[in-house]
Amino acid sequence: VDFGNPLETFRQVLAHEQHVTALIHDLYRLAQREDDHATAIMLQWFITEQVEEENNVGLVVGATHPEALARVRSLAPTCSAR
């Protein structure tokens, strides 16, 4: 599999995370339609996690602002982001 350059790799990761988010939202809507409150509550945890995942990858994709780049460095302290 060819991911291209590192930025393209992260763009593909972001697209994948957005796809996963959409799938979780579909499950949440189904749980609500079925009045399955326990499953809806459990899925809220996954929704919260996906918000974090998309934000983290989005920071990498949009890391042109110095504050965003500092955040990227803090997420991966062993990497050399230049």
Side-chain angles (χ1 to χ4, degrees), residues 13-55:
V13 169
L14 180 58
H16 175 73
E17 292 297 345
Q18 291 168 335
H19 174 72
V20 170
T21 298
L23 294 173
I24 293 169
H25 287 175
D26 289 345
L27 290 171
Y28 185 82
R29 280 189 288 278
L30 177 61
Q32 287 182 316
R33 265 196 319 269
E34 296 294 323
D35 289 327
D36 186 350
H37 306 291
T39 298
I41 290 168
M42 179 204 57
L43 288 168
Q44 287 177 0
W45 181 86
F46 286 96
I47 292 168
T48 301
E49 286 296 307
Q50 281 307 112
V51 167
E52 184 178 334
E53 292 299 318
E54 285 190 33
N55 284 337

